[in-house]
Amino acid sequence: IEQEDASARRWIDIGANLTSNQFKRDLDEVIARAEAAGVTRMVVTGTDAAGSAEASTLARSAPGLWSTAGVHPHHASEFSTEVLAELDSLTAQPEVVAVGECGLDFNRDFSPREDQIAAFEEQLALGSRSGLPMFLHQRDAHDVFLGMLRDAWPDLKAGAVVHCFTEGPREAEDYLDLG
């Protein structure tokens, strides 16, 4: 069997943090290098209201880019009804393909756990209303996270990607069992 030519492979990066300040100087070159390496599509991650809007704007600016709209658990203390309304509006845009990055991070606790839980619950409901998949983050909060996800799962018609979790095979199986 001949090995496939690596240059013929096509990849999708579902968690591209292209709105980070580290890419401000050379964003076009970063995107070009990704394309040259076979990454032909990227989903630009939104981690707070402003970053989600910026990700959406960036995604509209170039072919092969899409975005997410969400509030990362580190920013959960900034979550409000106004932020939820902004995210809700963004999820109606064609370039926004997922709700998140959202979830729980009890490892760093940059936001109080109660705020993380409340923000995650609202974003799970947004995923249900919007019909978009969830882009999820979980650190050292598996049991609470899984319980919330299981409760919301029947209403999440588009499913989810748990792109970050800190435990091991048992936890991965829990997520895979949900689908």
Side-chain angles (χ1 to χ4, degrees), residues 102-138:
C102 62
L104 302 175
D105 192 317
F106 292 176
N107 176 273
R108 296 185 179 154
D109 282 329
F110 289 144
S111 285
R113 291 179 181 189
E114 306 80 40
D115 292 350
Q116 292 183 50
I117 290 168
F120 185 35
E121 184 171 57
E122 290 289 345
Q123 291 175 93
L124 287 167
L126 177 58
S128 174
R129 284 193 308 278
S130 69
L132 294 175
M134 303 297 300
F135 187 60
L136 301 175
H137 172 104
Q138 183 277 117

PDB file of all heavy atoms in Angstrom, residues 102-138:
ATOM      1  N   CYS A 102     -17.110  26.774  25.999  1.00  0.00           N
ATOM      2  CA  CYS A 102     -17.720  26.932  27.315  1.00  0.00           C
ATOM      3  C   CYS A 102     -17.582  25.634  28.095  1.00  0.00           C
ATOM      4  O   CYS A 102     -17.221  24.608  27.541  1.00  0.00           O
ATOM      5  CB  CYS A 102     -19.181  27.345  27.182  1.00  0.00           C
ATOM      6  SG  CYS A 102     -20.246  26.161  26.331  1.00  0.00           S
ATOM      7  N   GLY A 103     -17.872  25.716  29.382  1.00  0.00           N
ATOM      8  CA  GLY A 103     -17.791  24.544  30.236  1.00  0.00           C
ATOM      9  C   GLY A 103     -17.415  24.919  31.646  1.00  0.00           C
ATOM     10  O   GLY A 103     -17.834  25.960  32.156  1.00  0.00           O
ATOM     11  N   LEU A 104     -16.600  24.076  32.273  1.00  0.00           N
ATOM     12  CA  LEU A 104     -16.181  24.269  33.658  1.00  0.00           C
ATOM     13  C   LEU A 104     -14.683  24.053  33.781  1.00  0.00           C
ATOM     14  O   LEU A 104     -14.139  23.125  33.190  1.00  0.00           O
ATOM     15  CB  LEU A 104     -16.902  23.281  34.583  1.00  0.00           C
ATOM     16  CG  LEU A 104     -18.435  23.312  34.580  1.00  0.00           C
ATOM     17  CD1 LEU A 104     -18.985  22.182  35.448  1.00  0.00           C
ATOM     18  CD2 LEU A 104     -18.959  24.667  35.043  1.00  0.00           C
ATOM     19  N   ASP A 105     -14.033  24.916  34.562  1.00  0.00           N
ATOM     20  CA  ASP A 105     -12.603  24.771  34.836  1.00  0.00           C
ATOM     21  C   ASP A 105     -12.378  24.972  36.328  1.00  0.00           C
ATOM     22  O   ASP A 105     -12.211  26.088  36.804  1.00  0.00           O
ATOM     23  CB  ASP A 105     -11.789  25.790  34.034  1.00  0.00           C
ATOM     24  CG  ASP A 105     -10.306  25.490  34.069  1.00  0.00           C
ATOM     25  OD1 ASP A 105      -9.787  25.144  35.158  1.00  0.00           O
ATOM     26  OD2 ASP A 105      -9.653  25.592  33.016  1.00  0.00           O
ATOM     27  N   PHE A 106     -12.433  23.861  37.073  1.00  0.00           N
ATOM     28  CA  PHE A 106     -12.237  23.910  38.519  1.00  0.00           C
ATOM     29  C   PHE A 106     -10.768  23.758  38.893  1.00  0.00           C
ATOM     30  O   PHE A 106     -10.412  23.714  40.060  1.00  0.00           O
ATOM     31  CB  PHE A 106     -13.060  22.820  39.215  1.00  0.00           C
ATOM     32  CG  PHE A 106     -14.548  23.024  39.149  1.00  0.00           C
ATOM     33  CD1 PHE A 106     -15.395  22.064  39.659  1.00  0.00           C
ATOM     34  CD2 PHE A 106     -15.112  24.166  38.592  1.00  0.00           C
ATOM     35  CE1 PHE A 106     -16.777  22.222  39.627  1.00  0.00           C
ATOM     36  CE2 PHE A 106     -16.495  24.344  38.544  1.00  0.00           C
ATOM     37  CZ  PHE A 106     -17.321  23.364  39.066  1.00  0.00           C
ATOM     38  N   ASN A 107      -9.901  23.686  37.894  1.00  0.00           N
ATOM     39  CA  ASN A 107      -8.470  23.605  38.139  1.00  0.00           C
ATOM     40  C   ASN A 107      -7.912  24.982  38.464  1.00  0.00           C
ATOM     41  O   ASN A 107      -7.218  25.165  39.458  1.00  0.00           O
ATOM     42  CB  ASN A 107      -7.757  23.004  36.929  1.00  0.00           C
ATOM     43  CG  ASN A 107      -6.259  22.993  37.086  1.00  0.00           C
ATOM     44  OD1 ASN A 107      -5.598  23.964  36.754  1.00  0.00           O
ATOM     45  ND2 ASN A 107      -5.733  21.893  37.594  1.00  0.00           N
ATOM     46  N   ARG A 108      -8.224  25.938  37.630  1.00  0.00           N
ATOM     47  CA  ARG A 108      -7.666  27.276  37.794  1.00  0.00           C
ATOM     48  C   ARG A 108      -8.608  28.210  38.533  1.00  0.00           C
ATOM     49  O   ARG A 108      -8.167  29.158  39.164  1.00  0.00           O
ATOM     50  CB  ARG A 108      -7.292  27.839  36.431  1.00  0.00           C
ATOM     51  CG  ARG A 108      -6.184  27.011  35.794  1.00  0.00           C
ATOM     52  CD  ARG A 108      -5.703  27.596  34.517  1.00  0.00           C
ATOM     53  NE  ARG A 108      -4.632  26.767  33.974  1.00  0.00           N
ATOM     54  CZ  ARG A 108      -4.335  26.708  32.709  1.00  0.00           C
ATOM     55  NH1 ARG A 108      -5.014  27.423  31.833  1.00  0.00           N
ATOM     56  NH2 ARG A 108      -3.360  25.943  32.292  1.00  0.00           N
ATOM     57  N   ASP A 109      -9.909  27.981  38.408  1.00  0.00           N
ATOM     58  CA  ASP A 109     -10.908  28.801  39.108  1.00  0.00           C
ATOM     59  C   ASP A 109     -10.684  30.302  38.909  1.00  0.00           C
ATOM     60  O   ASP A 109     -10.780  31.084  39.851  1.00  0.00           O
ATOM     61  CB  ASP A 109     -10.943  28.463  40.604  1.00  0.00           C
ATOM     62  CG  ASP A 109     -11.694  27.178  40.887  1.00  0.00           C
ATOM     63  OD1 ASP A 109     -12.634  26.854  40.144  1.00  0.00           O
ATOM     64  OD2 ASP A 109     -11.341  26.490  41.857  1.00  0.00           O
ATOM     65  N   PHE A 110     -10.410  30.717  37.675  1.00  0.00           N
ATOM     66  CA  PHE A 110     -10.271  32.144  37.391  1.00  0.00           C
ATOM     67  C   PHE A 110     -11.588  32.877  37.594  1.00  0.00           C
ATOM     68  O   PHE A 110     -11.601  34.083  37.819  1.00  0.00           O
ATOM     69  CB  PHE A 110      -9.744  32.386  35.976  1.00  0.00           C
ATOM     70  CG  PHE A 110      -8.297  32.015  35.797  1.00  0.00           C
ATOM     71  CD1 PHE A 110      -7.863  31.467  34.604  1.00  0.00           C
ATOM     72  CD2 PHE A 110      -7.365  32.207  36.804  1.00  0.00           C
ATOM     73  CE1 PHE A 110      -6.521  31.135  34.415  1.00  0.00           C
ATOM     74  CE2 PHE A 110      -6.028  31.871  36.628  1.00  0.00           C
ATOM     75  CZ  PHE A 110      -5.608  31.328  35.429  1.00  0.00           C
ATOM     76  N   SER A 111     -12.703  32.164  37.458  1.00  0.00           N
ATOM     77  CA  SER A 111     -14.027  32.674  37.812  1.00  0.00           C
ATOM     78  C   SER A 111     -14.581  31.768  38.904  1.00  0.00           C
ATOM     79  O   SER A 111     -14.291  30.567  38.917  1.00  0.00           O
ATOM     80  CB  SER A 111     -14.973  32.649  36.612  1.00  0.00           C
ATOM     81  OG  SER A 111     -14.678  33.671  35.696  1.00  0.00           O
ATOM     82  N   PRO A 112     -15.394  32.329  39.809  1.00  0.00           N
ATOM     83  CA  PRO A 112     -15.984  31.479  40.856  1.00  0.00           C
ATOM     84  C   PRO A 112     -16.777  30.328  40.244  1.00  0.00           C
ATOM     85  O   PRO A 112     -17.408  30.470  39.189  1.00  0.00           O
ATOM     86  CB  PRO A 112     -16.906  32.441  41.608  1.00  0.00           C
ATOM     87  CG  PRO A 112     -16.334  33.803  41.352  1.00  0.00           C
ATOM     88  CD  PRO A 112     -15.774  33.735  39.965  1.00  0.00           C
ATOM     89  N   ARG A 113     -16.756  29.198  40.921  1.00  0.00           N
ATOM     90  CA  ARG A 113     -17.418  28.001  40.393  1.00  0.00           C
ATOM     91  C   ARG A 113     -18.909  28.230  40.161  1.00  0.00           C
ATOM     92  O   ARG A 113     -19.468  27.738  39.178  1.00  0.00           O
ATOM     93  CB  ARG A 113     -17.186  26.811  41.329  1.00  0.00           C
ATOM     94  CG  ARG A 113     -15.740  26.366  41.304  1.00  0.00           C
ATOM     95  CD  ARG A 113     -15.451  25.211  42.225  1.00  0.00           C
ATOM     96  NE  ARG A 113     -14.031  24.884  42.124  1.00  0.00           N
ATOM     97  CZ  ARG A 113     -13.478  23.821  42.660  1.00  0.00           C
ATOM     98  NH1 ARG A 113     -14.212  22.970  43.351  1.00  0.00           N
ATOM     99  NH2 ARG A 113     -12.181  23.613  42.521  1.00  0.00           N
ATOM    100  N   GLU A 114     -19.555  28.975  41.047  1.00  0.00           N
ATOM    101  CA  GLU A 114     -20.988  29.241  40.866  1.00  0.00           C
ATOM    102  C   GLU A 114     -21.233  29.997  39.562  1.00  0.00           C
ATOM    103  O   GLU A 114     -22.216  29.751  38.853  1.00  0.00           O
ATOM    104  CB  GLU A 114     -21.561  30.056  42.031  1.00  0.00           C
ATOM    105  CG  GLU A 114     -21.315  29.472  43.406  1.00  0.00           C
ATOM    106  CD  GLU A 114     -19.903  29.757  43.936  1.00  0.00           C
ATOM    107  OE1 GLU A 114     -19.363  30.878  43.758  1.00  0.00           O
ATOM    108  OE2 GLU A 114     -19.326  28.825  44.524  1.00  0.00           O
ATOM    109  N   ASP A 115     -20.348  30.950  39.242  1.00  0.00           N
ATOM    110  CA  ASP A 115     -20.468  31.701  37.985  1.00  0.00           C
ATOM    111  C   ASP A 115     -20.232  30.787  36.788  1.00  0.00           C
ATOM    112  O   ASP A 115     -20.920  30.908  35.765  1.00  0.00           O
ATOM    113  CB  ASP A 115     -19.473  32.861  37.942  1.00  0.00           C
ATOM    114  CG  ASP A 115     -19.783  33.963  38.936  1.00  0.00           C
ATOM    115  OD1 ASP A 115     -20.875  33.946  39.550  1.00  0.00           O
ATOM    116  OD2 ASP A 115     -18.925  34.855  39.104  1.00  0.00           O
ATOM    117  N   GLN A 116     -19.261  29.894  36.908  1.00  0.00           N
ATOM    118  CA  GLN A 116     -18.986  28.955  35.820  1.00  0.00           C
ATOM    119  C   GLN A 116     -20.199  28.072  35.550  1.00  0.00           C
ATOM    120  O   GLN A 116     -20.584  27.868  34.394  1.00  0.00           O
ATOM    121  CB  GLN A 116     -17.784  28.078  36.155  1.00  0.00           C
ATOM    122  CG  GLN A 116     -16.460  28.804  36.216  1.00  0.00           C
ATOM    123  CD  GLN A 116     -15.326  27.840  36.491  1.00  0.00           C
ATOM    124  OE1 GLN A 116     -15.191  26.813  35.827  1.00  0.00           O
ATOM    125  NE2 GLN A 116     -14.486  28.171  37.473  1.00  0.00           N
ATOM    126  N   ILE A 117     -20.792  27.560  36.608  1.00  0.00           N
ATOM    127  CA  ILE A 117     -21.953  26.677  36.474  1.00  0.00           C
ATOM    128  C   ILE A 117     -23.117  27.427  35.834  1.00  0.00           C
ATOM    129  O   ILE A 117     -23.766  26.923  34.909  1.00  0.00           O
ATOM    130  CB  ILE A 117     -22.331  26.068  37.842  1.00  0.00           C
ATOM    131  CG1 ILE A 117     -21.240  25.059  38.271  1.00  0.00           C
ATOM    132  CG2 ILE A 117     -23.705  25.426  37.799  1.00  0.00           C
ATOM    133  CD1 ILE A 117     -21.334  24.599  39.714  1.00  0.00           C
ATOM    134  N   ALA A 118     -23.368  28.650  36.296  1.00  0.00           N
ATOM    135  CA  ALA A 118     -24.480  29.441  35.742  1.00  0.00           C
ATOM    136  C   ALA A 118     -24.247  29.760  34.268  1.00  0.00           C
ATOM    137  O   ALA A 118     -25.169  29.632  33.444  1.00  0.00           O
ATOM    138  CB  ALA A 118     -24.662  30.723  36.559  1.00  0.00           C
ATOM    139  N   ALA A 119     -23.027  30.167  33.916  1.00  0.00           N
ATOM    140  CA  ALA A 119     -22.717  30.501  32.524  1.00  0.00           C
ATOM    141  C   ALA A 119     -22.808  29.260  31.634  1.00  0.00           C
ATOM    142  O   ALA A 119     -23.338  29.323  30.515  1.00  0.00           O
ATOM    143  CB  ALA A 119     -21.332  31.125  32.420  1.00  0.00           C
ATOM    144  N   PHE A 120     -22.322  28.136  32.127  1.00  0.00           N
ATOM    145  CA  PHE A 120     -22.382  26.897  31.351  1.00  0.00           C
ATOM    146  C   PHE A 120     -23.832  26.482  31.123  1.00  0.00           C
ATOM    147  O   PHE A 120     -24.222  26.120  30.007  1.00  0.00           O
ATOM    148  CB  PHE A 120     -21.589  25.796  32.066  1.00  0.00           C
ATOM    149  CG  PHE A 120     -21.466  24.502  31.311  1.00  0.00           C
ATOM    150  CD1 PHE A 120     -21.345  24.474  29.930  1.00  0.00           C
ATOM    151  CD2 PHE A 120     -21.443  23.296  31.993  1.00  0.00           C
ATOM    152  CE1 PHE A 120     -21.211  23.264  29.235  1.00  0.00           C
ATOM    153  CE2 PHE A 120     -21.305  22.093  31.320  1.00  0.00           C
ATOM    154  CZ  PHE A 120     -21.195  22.081  29.940  1.00  0.00           C
ATOM    155  N   GLU A 121     -24.647  26.563  32.157  1.00  0.00           N
ATOM    156  CA  GLU A 121     -26.056  26.205  32.033  1.00  0.00           C
ATOM    157  C   GLU A 121     -26.756  27.062  30.972  1.00  0.00           C
ATOM    158  O   GLU A 121     -27.494  26.541  30.128  1.00  0.00           O
ATOM    159  CB  GLU A 121     -26.749  26.352  33.385  1.00  0.00           C
ATOM    160  CG  GLU A 121     -28.185  25.910  33.393  1.00  0.00           C
ATOM    161  CD  GLU A 121     -28.738  25.882  34.804  1.00  0.00           C
ATOM    162  OE1 GLU A 121     -28.700  26.924  35.482  1.00  0.00           O
ATOM    163  OE2 GLU A 121     -29.217  24.810  35.203  1.00  0.00           O
ATOM    164  N   GLU A 122     -26.501  28.359  30.998  1.00  0.00           N
ATOM    165  CA  GLU A 122     -27.105  29.261  30.001  1.00  0.00           C
ATOM    166  C   GLU A 122     -26.626  28.939  28.589  1.00  0.00           C
ATOM    167  O   GLU A 122     -27.396  29.016  27.626  1.00  0.00           O
ATOM    168  CB  GLU A 122     -26.798  30.715  30.335  1.00  0.00           C
ATOM    169  CG  GLU A 122     -27.516  31.225  31.566  1.00  0.00           C
ATOM    170  CD  GLU A 122     -29.006  31.410  31.371  1.00  0.00           C
ATOM    171  OE1 GLU A 122     -29.491  31.423  30.219  1.00  0.00           O
ATOM    172  OE2 GLU A 122     -29.706  31.544  32.388  1.00  0.00           O
ATOM    173  N   GLN A 123     -25.353  28.587  28.455  1.00  0.00           N
ATOM    174  CA  GLN A 123     -24.820  28.284  27.132  1.00  0.00           C
ATOM    175  C   GLN A 123     -25.302  26.926  26.619  1.00  0.00           C
ATOM    176  O   GLN A 123     -25.497  26.753  25.409  1.00  0.00           O
ATOM    177  CB  GLN A 123     -23.300  28.396  27.129  1.00  0.00           C
ATOM    178  CG  GLN A 123     -22.879  29.863  27.290  1.00  0.00           C
ATOM    179  CD  GLN A 123     -21.397  30.018  27.408  1.00  0.00           C
ATOM    180  OE1 GLN A 123     -20.722  30.223  26.396  1.00  0.00           O
ATOM    181  NE2 GLN A 123     -20.875  29.904  28.622  1.00  0.00           N
ATOM    182  N   LEU A 124     -25.528  25.976  27.508  1.00  0.00           N
ATOM    183  CA  LEU A 124     -26.144  24.721  27.089  1.00  0.00           C
ATOM    184  C   LEU A 124     -27.551  24.985  26.551  1.00  0.00           C
ATOM    185  O   LEU A 124     -27.944  24.421  25.517  1.00  0.00           O
ATOM    186  CB  LEU A 124     -26.183  23.724  28.252  1.00  0.00           C
ATOM    187  CG  LEU A 124     -24.851  23.094  28.637  1.00  0.00           C
ATOM    188  CD1 LEU A 124     -24.973  22.375  29.983  1.00  0.00           C
ATOM    189  CD2 LEU A 124     -24.361  22.132  27.556  1.00  0.00           C
ATOM    190  N   ALA A 125     -28.281  25.865  27.216  1.00  0.00           N
ATOM    191  CA  ALA A 125     -29.616  26.237  26.738  1.00  0.00           C
ATOM    192  C   ALA A 125     -29.523  26.948  25.388  1.00  0.00           C
ATOM    193  O   ALA A 125     -30.365  26.740  24.502  1.00  0.00           O
ATOM    194  CB  ALA A 125     -30.322  27.105  27.770  1.00  0.00           C
ATOM    195  N   LEU A 126     -28.499  27.788  25.217  1.00  0.00           N
ATOM    196  CA  LEU A 126     -28.290  28.464  23.940  1.00  0.00           C
ATOM    197  C   LEU A 126     -28.004  27.448  22.836  1.00  0.00           C
ATOM    198  O   LEU A 126     -28.501  27.573  21.715  1.00  0.00           O
ATOM    199  CB  LEU A 126     -27.143  29.474  24.052  1.00  0.00           C
ATOM    200  CG  LEU A 126     -26.758  30.217  22.773  1.00  0.00           C
ATOM    201  CD1 LEU A 126     -27.936  30.988  22.195  1.00  0.00           C
ATOM    202  CD2 LEU A 126     -25.578  31.151  23.064  1.00  0.00           C
ATOM    203  N   GLY A 127     -27.215  26.441  23.137  1.00  0.00           N
ATOM    204  CA  GLY A 127     -26.957  25.386  22.166  1.00  0.00           C
ATOM    205  C   GLY A 127     -28.245  24.691  21.746  1.00  0.00           C
ATOM    206  O   GLY A 127     -28.459  24.400  20.572  1.00  0.00           O
ATOM    207  N   SER A 128     -29.115  24.468  22.701  1.00  0.00           N
ATOM    208  CA  SER A 128     -30.398  23.849  22.399  1.00  0.00           C
ATOM    209  C   SER A 128     -31.251  24.760  21.517  1.00  0.00           C
ATOM    210  O   SER A 128     -31.787  24.309  20.495  1.00  0.00           O
ATOM    211  CB  SER A 128     -31.131  23.546  23.710  1.00  0.00           C
ATOM    212  OG  SER A 128     -32.432  23.079  23.453  1.00  0.00           O
ATOM    213  N   ARG A 129     -31.356  26.029  21.877  1.00  0.00           N
ATOM    214  CA  ARG A 129     -32.176  26.979  21.104  1.00  0.00           C
ATOM    215  C   ARG A 129     -31.641  27.199  19.696  1.00  0.00           C
ATOM    216  O   ARG A 129     -32.399  27.295  18.740  1.00  0.00           O
ATOM    217  CB  ARG A 129     -32.236  28.341  21.800  1.00  0.00           C
ATOM    218  CG  ARG A 129     -33.119  28.422  22.992  1.00  0.00           C
ATOM    219  CD  ARG A 129     -33.367  29.858  23.427  1.00  0.00           C
ATOM    220  NE  ARG A 129     -32.179  30.664  23.612  1.00  0.00           N
ATOM    221  CZ  ARG A 129     -31.404  30.677  24.697  1.00  0.00           C
ATOM    222  NH1 ARG A 129     -31.695  29.874  25.710  1.00  0.00           N
ATOM    223  NH2 ARG A 129     -30.349  31.455  24.775  1.00  0.00           N
ATOM    224  N   SER A 130     -30.333  27.303  19.597  1.00  0.00           N
ATOM    225  CA  SER A 130     -29.720  27.639  18.300  1.00  0.00           C
ATOM    226  C   SER A 130     -29.616  26.440  17.359  1.00  0.00           C
ATOM    227  O   SER A 130     -29.501  26.609  16.148  1.00  0.00           O
ATOM    228  CB  SER A 130     -28.319  28.219  18.518  1.00  0.00           C
ATOM    229  OG  SER A 130     -27.432  27.210  19.002  1.00  0.00           O
ATOM    230  N   GLY A 131     -29.622  25.246  17.925  1.00  0.00           N
ATOM    231  CA  GLY A 131     -29.432  24.048  17.105  1.00  0.00           C
ATOM    232  C   GLY A 131     -27.989  23.809  16.714  1.00  0.00           C
ATOM    233  O   GLY A 131     -27.699  22.931  15.904  1.00  0.00           O
ATOM    234  N   LEU A 132     -27.067  24.599  17.299  1.00  0.00           N
ATOM    235  CA  LEU A 132     -25.643  24.438  16.987  1.00  0.00           C
ATOM    236  C   LEU A 132     -24.995  23.446  17.946  1.00  0.00           C
ATOM    237  O   LEU A 132     -25.421  23.303  19.095  1.00  0.00           O
ATOM    238  CB  LEU A 132     -24.925  25.787  17.104  1.00  0.00           C
ATOM    239  CG  LEU A 132     -25.328  26.860  16.096  1.00  0.00           C
ATOM    240  CD1 LEU A 132     -24.611  28.171  16.411  1.00  0.00           C
ATOM    241  CD2 LEU A 132     -25.022  26.408  14.679  1.00  0.00           C
ATOM    242  N   PRO A 133     -23.922  22.787  17.514  1.00  0.00           N
ATOM    243  CA  PRO A 133     -23.180  21.919  18.425  1.00  0.00           C
ATOM    244  C   PRO A 133     -22.458  22.741  19.487  1.00  0.00           C
ATOM    245  O   PRO A 133     -22.240  23.944  19.323  1.00  0.00           O
ATOM    246  CB  PRO A 133     -22.177  21.204  17.509  1.00  0.00           C
ATOM    247  CG  PRO A 133     -22.049  22.079  16.320  1.00  0.00           C
ATOM    248  CD  PRO A 133     -23.351  22.811  16.170  1.00  0.00           C
ATOM    249  N   MET A 134     -22.076  22.070  20.549  1.00  0.00           N
ATOM    250  CA  MET A 134     -21.345  22.696  21.649  1.00  0.00           C
ATOM    251  C   MET A 134     -19.853  22.423  21.492  1.00  0.00           C
ATOM    252  O   MET A 134     -19.457  21.315  21.123  1.00  0.00           O
ATOM    253  CB  MET A 134     -21.817  22.133  22.998  1.00  0.00           C
ATOM    254  CG  MET A 134     -23.300  22.270  23.278  1.00  0.00           C
ATOM    255  SD  MET A 134     -23.892  23.978  23.388  1.00  0.00           S
ATOM    256  CE  MET A 134     -22.920  24.608  24.757  1.00  0.00           C
ATOM    257  N   PHE A 135     -19.036  23.423  21.810  1.00  0.00           N
ATOM    258  CA  PHE A 135     -17.572  23.302  21.825  1.00  0.00           C
ATOM    259  C   PHE A 135     -17.164  23.458  23.284  1.00  0.00           C
ATOM    260  O   PHE A 135     -17.238  24.546  23.847  1.00  0.00           O
ATOM    261  CB  PHE A 135     -16.961  24.391  20.937  1.00  0.00           C
ATOM    262  CG  PHE A 135     -15.478  24.268  20.754  1.00  0.00           C
ATOM    263  CD1 PHE A 135     -14.908  23.139  20.195  1.00  0.00           C
ATOM    264  CD2 PHE A 135     -14.642  25.304  21.127  1.00  0.00           C
ATOM    265  CE1 PHE A 135     -13.536  23.037  20.016  1.00  0.00           C
ATOM    266  CE2 PHE A 135     -13.272  25.218  20.956  1.00  0.00           C
ATOM    267  CZ  PHE A 135     -12.717  24.079  20.401  1.00  0.00           C
ATOM    268  N   LEU A 136     -16.778  22.334  23.920  1.00  0.00           N
ATOM    269  CA  LEU A 136     -16.722  22.259  25.380  1.00  0.00           C
ATOM    270  C   LEU A 136     -15.322  22.112  25.951  1.00  0.00           C
ATOM    271  O   LEU A 136     -14.441  21.510  25.348  1.00  0.00           O
ATOM    272  CB  LEU A 136     -17.590  21.081  25.847  1.00  0.00           C
ATOM    273  CG  LEU A 136     -19.059  21.159  25.433  1.00  0.00           C
ATOM    274  CD1 LEU A 136     -19.785  19.884  25.836  1.00  0.00           C
ATOM    275  CD2 LEU A 136     -19.732  22.376  26.031  1.00  0.00           C
ATOM    276  N   HIS A 137     -15.187  22.626  27.174  1.00  0.00           N
ATOM    277  CA  HIS A 137     -13.934  22.659  27.929  1.00  0.00           C
ATOM    278  C   HIS A 137     -14.249  22.169  29.343  1.00  0.00           C
ATOM    279  O   HIS A 137     -15.201  22.631  29.966  1.00  0.00           O
ATOM    280  CB  HIS A 137     -13.440  24.109  27.968  1.00  0.00           C
ATOM    281  CG  HIS A 137     -12.273  24.346  28.854  1.00  0.00           C
ATOM    282  ND1 HIS A 137     -11.004  24.524  28.365  1.00  0.00           N
ATOM    283  CD2 HIS A 137     -12.166  24.462  30.205  1.00  0.00           C
ATOM    284  CE1 HIS A 137     -10.178  24.741  29.370  1.00  0.00           C
ATOM    285  NE2 HIS A 137     -10.864  24.697  30.498  1.00  0.00           N
ATOM    286  N   GLN A 138     -13.420  21.253  29.855  1.00  0.00           N
ATOM    287  CA  GLN A 138     -13.614  20.747  31.213  1.00  0.00           C
ATOM    288  C   GLN A 138     -12.265  20.441  31.835  1.00  0.00           C
ATOM    289  O   GLN A 138     -11.474  19.699  31.271  1.00  0.00           O
ATOM    290  CB  GLN A 138     -14.494  19.490  31.166  1.00  0.00           C
ATOM    291  CG  GLN A 138     -14.838  18.901  32.520  1.00  0.00           C
ATOM    292  CD  GLN A 138     -13.753  17.989  33.074  1.00  0.00           C
ATOM    293  OE1 GLN A 138     -13.174  18.287  34.114  1.00  0.00           O
ATOM    294  NE2 GLN A 138     -13.460  16.896  32.398  1.00  0.00           N
TER     295      GLN A 138
END
